[in-house]
């Protein structure tokens, strides 16, 4: 083995780990995404050429190649107990009084782990220091490191045993596969770090938007999405979910010497794991309560969901004296915020059919104000949920915005029933086509390929902004076109004529002509937009770009084998099979023949933008709500003109495009002196 190859591999791994720490832990990236990707590609090429050099902690090994058949159960070395909850300040003060009663005769000298200077102190403990942290609404997990290398990860489970989800946790980029700390920091032989896996609000909304567009059932809230992602059998699918981590404590730490919780948090950060930045050391319970109340009014500023604050005794020595019950430690309590709820009535329950055939029950509500909006509908997610909560048409119910995002029926007020409420029967046939439905896991699914409801959803998705972007062709018009049998699939869009459109509701001669013009314009869209628009299961906009770049034409993509597709970076076995199954379907082939006949572009459009556009080779970050563009559209324009798009502001960012509610990225850009553009200035730049 060439010594230079070994040194190059180690150099690249060390550099990638360094930049992982800057991005995920310090939130101060030093290089752009493109430069990071180039480092990763160099490492992948070397490891592919010399597979004997691949190690489990290499940055390339985040996503294992094969799905796991099932999750093994593992026992926690130290139980992951639950935390006692309270919703009142008085109960927090009682918690403090209870601790001080327990420690009434305790002196500093009685506390294990005190320094030599304190061992002889006879001073009694009167005030208790507390550390306050956000109570992240996510999934508790345990991470084991052996000599600084990540070896196992598990869910909390029942507190004694959890599921081994190591393969999926390896895909979470916040979790270092090897500690990122400096050489002088002592790494214990074995150590367990506990934390919370969560999904940021923005990513959750994007994930649900994609699922809705693809006809898949929505996640109820960010926590459910995070939990569902961790329990996927294919790590490659988990890798596509933007899961994040906040580490919050050590579980087992062997003979390591720590005196307080603050020291533990600082050490976890040194090891290279992200810790929530908003923790605070408070000298007594009064100060702790003030900090809790501060965040109750400010939690809407956060990019993730919190449902309260966690209050921990700072001294680890006192943890040992206070001990635990069989369910919860006595040295910690959570102060939970009251969720905003409203009471309303279920007027009816309707069943929606997605483009993949999944049937989703939706409650139509008597409109009610909630969290700043008027709520009139709430997804019931699946029919098992209706049965579990015994939800009936006519019921008075409590609704809450789950994760303050999606309206959810929390509880049925059975005491208000009059006897006129009606049970909702689980459909045995598809409500759209009368086809048979089959239960798959917790979902009912219609498998009729000619189902009109599925056709409508596929056409809506095809014409949507992130796909072929046919302005004026919305759900209401598509509903009419399909119901009147003017079109049957999305290829039929290109056979529409003005005379077909004019008789329809809210359509006139001018509106019809404008729509025909928009349809004609869409024929020249780039290949990756068409691939995305086809609605192939497991293929979103990013995967469509990867495939378009790889194959160049739709014909080549259609003829690709599973083996060819699996060789493409970011395309796994499940996605490859979805593609082959889709293109081998005779109905799909007929639709694509119609697209060809209509003159729809089936080729990737080459762009020659270097030295032409002032944007070429410049780095951009887009934040906030832009006037006239979605964030994705703005980023697409930048890429088309040869620019680079990053998700975080750094010293190498040339421009920040800032819309309304830009958040912390604007503050960071101002600190770094980055050029900040509003929407109008951005338009001027791209039109130069």
């Amino acid at each position: 083995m060439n010594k230079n190859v070994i040194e190059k591999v180690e150099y690249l791994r060390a550099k990638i780990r360094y930049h992982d720490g800057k991005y995920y832990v310090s939130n101060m990236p030093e290089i752009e995404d493109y430069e990071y990707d180039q480092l990763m590609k160099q490492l992948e090429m070397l490891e592919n050429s010399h597979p004997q050099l691949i190690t489990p902690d290499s940055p390339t090994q985040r996503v294992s190649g094969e799905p796991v058949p099932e999750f093994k159960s593992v026992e926690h070395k130290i139980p992951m107990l639950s935390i006692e909850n309270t919703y009142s300040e008085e109960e927090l003060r009682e918690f403090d009084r209870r601790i001080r009663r327990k420690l009434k005769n305790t002196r500093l000298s009685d506390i294990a782990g005190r320094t030599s200077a304190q061992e002889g102190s006879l001073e009694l403990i009167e005030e208790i220091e507390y550390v306050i942290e956000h109570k992240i609404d996510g999934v508790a997990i345990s991470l084991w490191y052996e000599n600084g290398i990540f070896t196992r990860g598990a869910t909390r489970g029942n507190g004694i045993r959890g599921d081994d989800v190591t393969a999926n946790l390896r895909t979470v980029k916040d979790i270092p596969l090897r500690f990122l700390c400096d050489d002088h920091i002592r790494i214990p032989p074995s150590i367990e770090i506990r934390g919370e896996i969560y999904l940021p609000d923005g990513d959750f909304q994007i994930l649900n938007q994609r699922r809705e567009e693809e006809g898949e059932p929505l996640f109820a809230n960010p926590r459910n999405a995070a939990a569902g992602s961790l329990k996927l059998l294919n790590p490659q699918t988990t890798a596509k979910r933007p899961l994040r981590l906040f580490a919050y404590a050590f579980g087992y730490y062997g003979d390591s010497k720590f005196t307080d919780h603050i020291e533990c948090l600082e050490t976890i950060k040194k090891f290279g794991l992200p810790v929530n930045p908003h923790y605070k050391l408070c000298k007594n319970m009064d100060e702790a309560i003030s900090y809790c109340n501060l965040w109750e009014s400010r939690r809407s500023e956060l990019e993730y969901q919190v449902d309260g604050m966690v209050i921990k005794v700072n001294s680890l020595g006192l943890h040992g004296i206070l001990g635990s019950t069989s369910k919860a430690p006595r040295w910690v309590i959570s102060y939970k915020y009251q969720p905003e709820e409203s009471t309303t009535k279920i007027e009816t329950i309707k069943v929606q059919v997605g483009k993949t055939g999944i049937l989703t029950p939706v409650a139509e509500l008597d409109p009610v104000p909630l969290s700043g909006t008027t709520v009139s509908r709430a997804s019931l997610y699946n029919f098992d949920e209706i049965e579990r909560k015994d939800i009936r048409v006519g019921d008075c119910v409590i609704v809450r915005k789950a994760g303050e995002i999606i309206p959810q029926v929390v509880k049925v007020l059975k005491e208000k029933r009059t006897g006129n409420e009606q049970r909702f029967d689980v459909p045995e046939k598809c409500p759209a086509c009368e086809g048979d439905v089959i239960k798959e896991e917790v979902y009912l699914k219609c498998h009729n390929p000619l189902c009109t409801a599925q056709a409508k959803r596929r056409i809506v998705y095809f014409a949507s902004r992130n796909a072929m972007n046919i302005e004026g062709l919305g759900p209401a018009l598509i509903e009419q076109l399909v119901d009147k049998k003017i079109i049957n699939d999305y290829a039929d869009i290109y056979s529409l004529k003005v005379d077909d459109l004019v008789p329809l509701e809210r359509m006139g001669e001018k509106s019809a002509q404008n729509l025909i013009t928009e349809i004609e314009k869409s024929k020249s869209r780039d290949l990756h937009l068409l691939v995305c628009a086809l609605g192939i299961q497991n293929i979103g906009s990013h995967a469509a770009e990867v495939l378009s770049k790889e194959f160049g034409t739709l014909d080549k993509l259609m003829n690709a084998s599973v083996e060819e597709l699996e060789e493409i970076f970011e395309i796994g076995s499940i996605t490859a099979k979805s593609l082959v199954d889709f293109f081998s379907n005779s109905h799909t082939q007929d639709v694509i023949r119609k697209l060809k006949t209509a003159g729809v572009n089936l080729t990737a459009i080459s762009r020659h933008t270097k030295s032409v556009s002032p944007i070429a080779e410049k780095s951009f970050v887009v934040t906030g709500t832009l006037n006239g563009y979605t964030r994705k559209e703005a980023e697409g324009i930048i890429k088309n003109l040869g620019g680079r798009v990053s998700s975080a502001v750094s010293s190498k960012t040339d421009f920040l495009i800032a819309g309304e509610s830009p958040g912390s990225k604007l503050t960071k850009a101002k600190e770094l002196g980055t050029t900040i553009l509003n929407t109008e200035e951005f338009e001027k730049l791209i039109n130069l």
Side-chain angles (χ1 to χ4, degrees):
M1 175 70 65
N2 187 323
K3 184 180 178 182
N4 289 338
V5 173
I6 298 173
E7 290 177 349
K8 180 68 172 175
V9 166
E10 287 305 320
Y11 167 77
L12 287 169
R13 287 176 182 168
K15 195 160 188 177
I16 289 168
R17 289 184 189 117
Y18 170 79
H19 289 299
D20 281 344
K22 285 294 180 182
Y23 187 95
Y24 294 107
V25 182
S26 305
N27 198 27
M28 296 179 64
E30 294 182 357
I31 61 174
E32 298 298 333
D33 292 353
Y34 175 80
E35 296 172 75
Y36 180 90
D37 292 342
Q38 295 308 303
L39 292 173
M40 189 68 82
K41 285 180 180 177
Q42 290 179 56
L43 179 58
E44 286 168 352
M45 289 174 61
L46 287 172
E47 289 186 348
N48 288 338
S49 302
H50 306 279
Q52 65 271 37
L53 292 180
I54 298 175
T55 59
D57 62 310
S58 173
T60 63
Q61 300 304 296
R62 283 203 170 273
V63 184
S64 54
E66 295 299 323
V68 294
E70 60 183 10
F71 295 107
K72 295 184 296 184
S73 177
V74 295
E75 186 171 347
H76 298 301
K77 191 176 183 73
I78 296 175
M80 295 183 72
L81 301 179
S82 58
I83 299 176
E84 181 186 347
N85 292 327
T86 179
Y87 289 87
S88 79
E89 292 184 16
E90 180 51 38
E91 287 182 1
L92 286 182
R93 297 189 192 281
E94 175 54 33
F95 169 76
D96 179 62
R97 288 192 291 267
R98 189 164 66 239
I99 286 177
R100 286 192 282 119
R101 284 197 299 269
K102 176 78 174 176
L103 301 174
K104 184 176 181 181
N105 297 316
T106 303
R107 303 177 186 274
L108 290 177
S109 56
D110 298 328
I111 301 174
R114 305 302 293 180
T115 63
S116 57
Q118 296 167 321
E119 283 177 356
S121 174
L122 298 178
E123 181 183 349
L124 289 171
I125 298 173
E126 294 185 359
E127 291 285 12
I128 308 296
E129 284 187 337
Y130 293 104
V131 179
I132 319 301
E133 302 167 62
H134 284 164
K135 188 176 185 298
I136 310 299
D137 197 11
V139 181
I141 49 100
S142 160
L143 307 171
W144 274 90
Y145 284 83
E146 305 288 343
N147 298 312
I149 295 174
F150 177 53
T151 58
R152 193 185 76 196
T155 61
R156 178 181 176 274
N158 64 7
I160 305 299
R161 302 187 68 87
D163 288 329
D164 186 333
V165 289
T166 306
N168 285 341
L169 287 172
R170 291 173 72 86
T171 72
V172 180
K173 293 186 178 179
D174 281 348
I175 300 174
L177 301 182
R178 177 194 286 268
F179 282 160
L180 307 177
C181 53
D182 297 332
D183 293 337
H184 69 275
I185 296 175
R186 177 182 173 273
I187 295 176
S190 295
I191 197 160
E192 177 201 9
I193 296 172
R194 294 180 175 178
E196 200 86 4
I197 294 291
Y198 70 99
L199 197 63
D201 289 345
D203 293 317
F204 170 71
Q205 293 183 60
I206 291 170
L207 175 61
N208 257 352
Q209 180 183 338
R210 288 175 180 165
R211 290 177 72 85
E212 185 173 24
E213 289 171 348
E214 293 170 11
E216 296 180 3
L218 302 184
F219 287 115
N221 51 52
R223 187 193 181 283
N224 282 13
S229 301
L230 278 184
K231 299 303 287 288
L232 291 167
L233 294 179
N234 189 347
Q236 292 186 345
T237 307
T238 304
K240 296 176 183 177
R241 307 273 175 86
L243 298 176
R244 302 298 303 269
L245 166 79
F246 279 133
Y248 57 70
F250 288 123
Y252 170 82
Y253 49 89
D255 61 355
S256 298
K257 304 297 183 186
F258 300 109
T259 60
D260 53 47
H261 183 59
I262 285 286
E263 183 186 2
C264 293
L265 293 177
E266 294 298 326
T267 304
I268 289 171
K269 286 196 288 186
K270 289 175 183 175
F271 285 159
L273 288 89
V275 170
N276 188 280
H278 301 296
Y279 65 85
K280 182 179 180 180
L281 177 64
C282 297
K283 62 185 179 182
N284 54 42
M285 184 54 74
D286 285 341
E287 193 175 313
I289 289 173
S290 294
Y291 194 61
C292 290
N293 291 338
L294 169 70
W295 275 108
E296 183 164 19
S297 60
R298 290 184 55 191
R299 56 180 165 152
S300 61
E301 301 172 15
L302 299 171
E303 296 177 347
Y304 49 86
Q305 291 296 309
V306 299
D307 55 3
M309 304 293 276
V310 178
I311 302 166
K312 301 175 183 175
V313 172
N314 185 36
S315 167
L316 300 188
L318 293 182
H319 290 193
I321 293 173
L322 292 166
S324 303
T325 67
S326 60
K327 294 183 178 180
R330 293 190 179 95
W331 44 264
V332 59
I333 192 169
S334 72
Y335 177 57
K336 300 194 77 172
Y337 298 138
Q338 293 285 353
E340 186 177 347
E341 298 176 338
S342 293
T343 301
T344 185
K345 182 180 178 182
I346 296 180
E347 300 289 353
T348 187
I349 295 176
K350 294 184 177 179
V351 179
Q352 292 182 343
V353 184
K355 73 180 179 67
T356 60
I358 290 176
L359 277 59
T360 303
V362 177
E364 300 283 342
L365 308 170
D366 185 15
V368 61
L370 182 63
S371 298
T373 61
T374 298
V375 172
S376 58
R377 301 171 79 243
S379 173
L380 299 175
Y381 304 109
N382 57 66
F383 298 97
D384 288 354
E385 179 83 349
I386 293 177
E387 185 175 347
R388 184 178 67 82
K389 292 182 178 176
D390 189 19
I391 297 172
R392 306 180 188 182
V393 175
D395 268 334
C396 288
V397 294
I398 294 174
V399 290
R400 177 192 304 164
K401 279 197 175 178
E404 297 190 0
I405 297 171
I406 296 177
Q408 180 182 36
V409 174
V410 179
K411 181 182 178 182
V412 175
L413 299 176
K414 296 180 181 179
E415 66 276 13
K416 292 193 174 185
R417 282 181 173 165
T418 64
N420 295 322
E421 294 77 18
Q422 298 176 353
R423 292 184 181 275
F424 185 79
D425 295 327
V426 177
E428 297 178 356
K429 299 284 185 180
C430 173
C433 69
E434 294 297 317
D436 292 335
V437 295
I438 299 171
K439 189 165 187 178
E440 296 182 1
E441 297 179 348
V442 297
Y443 303 111
L444 290 183
K445 193 170 185 180
C446 170
H447 285 270
N448 177 11
L450 301 179
C451 175
T452 55
Q454 293 179 55
K456 290 173 185 176
R457 296 299 291 268
R458 284 194 289 266
I459 296 167
V460 168
Y461 182 65
F462 184 89
S464 65
R465 184 174 284 185
N466 291 334
M468 296 299 273
N469 193 18
I470 304 176
E471 191 172 338
L473 187 57
L477 182 57
I478 290 169
E479 186 98 12
Q480 293 184 71
L481 290 168
V482 175
D483 287 346
K484 294 178 183 297
K485 303 190 185 308
I486 298 171
I487 63 174
N488 296 309
D489 54 56
Y490 42 64
D492 291 339
I493 292 170
Y494 295 100
S495 64
L496 286 171
K497 299 178 177 58
V498 170
D499 290 344
D500 296 323
L501 299 169
V502 170
L504 301 178
E505 289 180 22
R506 299 186 180 181
M507 291 295 290
E509 186 85 28
K510 185 175 181 181
S511 298
Q513 187 57 61
N514 288 343
L515 178 55
I516 295 298
T517 301
E518 289 296 323
I519 291 171
E520 193 65 27
K521 278 168 57 179
S522 76
K523 290 181 180 180
S524 60
R525 301 278 188 250
D526 207 345
L527 175 61
H528 69 91
L529 294 172
L530 174 62
V531 173
C532 178
L534 294 176
I536 308 167
Q537 193 167 8
N538 299 313
I539 300 297
S541 55
H542 178 68
E545 286 186 36
V546 171
L547 293 166
S548 175
K549 185 177 180 181
E550 181 72 25
F551 291 99
T553 70
L554 188 63
D555 283 336
K556 288 181 180 178
L557 174 59
M558 290 179 69
N559 292 318
S561 66
V562 169
E563 292 73 24
E564 288 176 286
L565 291 162
E566 285 179 336
E567 290 178 3
I568 302 169
F569 180 64
E570 295 186 286
I571 303 297
S573 57
I574 291 179
T575 302
K577 187 175 185 306
S578 291
L579 284 158
V580 171
D581 288 348
F582 179 81
F583 287 122
S584 62
N585 181 283
S586 59
H587 179 69
T588 298
Q589 292 169 0
D590 288 341
V591 171
I592 289 175
R593 273 193 289 271
K594 289 196 284 186
L595 291 172
K596 285 182 180 179
T597 302
V600 175
N601 173 59
L602 308 179
T603 304
I605 301 169
S606 60
R607 302 179 179 90
H608 305 283
T609 56
K610 276 191 178 180
S611 75
V612 175
S613 169
I615 281 178
E617 303 302 323
K618 299 294 184 182
S619 173
F620 289 77
V621 173
V622 182
T623 186
T625 303
L626 303 183
N627 181 22
Y629 301 89
T630 64
R631 189 178 304 183
K632 194 174 188 69
E633 285 175 333
E635 291 176 348
I637 291 169
I638 292 164
K639 291 176 183 177
N640 291 349
L641 293 172
R644 297 195 301 272
V645 176
S646 178
S647 58
V649 177
S650 73
S651 57
K652 296 191 177 182
T653 303
D654 295 299
F655 297 97
L656 176 76
I657 313 300
E660 294 179 15
S661 305
S664 59
K665 291 178 183 177
L666 178 60
T667 304
K668 184 74 177 290
K670 289 178 178 178
E671 291 173 357
L672 294 173
T674 305
T675 302
I676 300 167
L677 305 177
N678 58 29
T679 307
E680 292 72 23
E681 291 165 334
F682 171 59
E683 288 180 334
K684 288 180 183 177
L685 182 64
I686 62 179
N687 289 321
L688 287 177

